[in-house]
Amino acid sequence: MTKTSERETVKAEHVNGGAGFIMKEALITGEELGEHCKMFSRVTIKPGCELGHHEHHGETETYYVLSGSGMYDDNGKAVPIEAGDVTFCKDGDGHGVKNTGTEDLVFVALILKK
C-alpha cells in the first residue's frame, strides 16, 4: 500500500512531441508492477497541454478518465473524452490525448506487456 503523501509526482515536458507538460504519479513501482505491467500511473494534463501521439509495440495501454475533458487521438481519429470514459490502445496502434477543456484532465494509465 502507498499513501498519496508517499508517492512522487514527476513533471515531464513535451512528452512524445506534445505541447506543454504532463504530471505523472506512479501508483505502484518496481516489484509491485510484476512482469506484465509496465506502468500504472495517475496522469494530469493541464488545459492546453497534451501527450503527443505515440505507438505501442509489444504492449497495450488503457486510460480511465477520472476528471476533466479533452480529445483522444485514437490511431489518427479524434474522439472527445470526459470523466468516466475508458480508452484502449491495442498492440501496434497509436494514440495521444490533449486537454481541450478548462480544468485539469486526470486519468489512470495502465500499460500491460504482451
Side-chain angles (χ1 to χ4, degrees):
M1 178 175 144
T2 61
K3 294 286 205 173
T4 190
S5 61
E6 299 170 344
R7 295 189 299 264
E8 178 183 8
T9 299
V10 177
K11 180 179 180 179
E13 301 207 28
H14 307 291
V15 177
N16 298 315
F21 64 94
I22 69 167
M23 303 296 290
K24 187 165 73 169
E25 174 188 358
L27 300 173
I28 58 174
T29 60
E31 289 183 13
E32 296 168 332
L33 289 171
E35 76 177 271
H36 297 292
C37 186
K38 181 176 177 182
M39 184 182 80
F40 183 56
S41 296
R42 181 178 190 256
V43 178
T44 301
I45 303 178
K46 299 285 186 187
C49 294
E50 67 184 318
L51 180 102
H53 186 272
H54 59 286
E55 294 181 352
H56 287 273
H57 298 282
E59 61 191 24
T60 63
E61 186 167 25
T62 302
Y63 296 159
Y64 172 54
V65 183
L66 299 172
S67 62
S69 62
M71 291 300 290
Y72 179 74
D73 177 346
D74 185 8
N75 219 31
K77 179 183 174 188
V79 180
I81 56 171
E82 62 186 8
D85 291 346
V86 175
T87 68
F88 179 75
C89 182
K90 68 181 181 179
D91 184 16
D93 280 358
H95 67 154
V97 64
K98 181 174 185 173
N99 183 341
T100 56
T102 58
E103 61 184 66
D104 290 354
L105 174 60
V106 182
F107 57 90
V108 172
L110 173 67
I111 298 178
L112 297 175
K113 301 179 225 175
K114 288 290 210 175

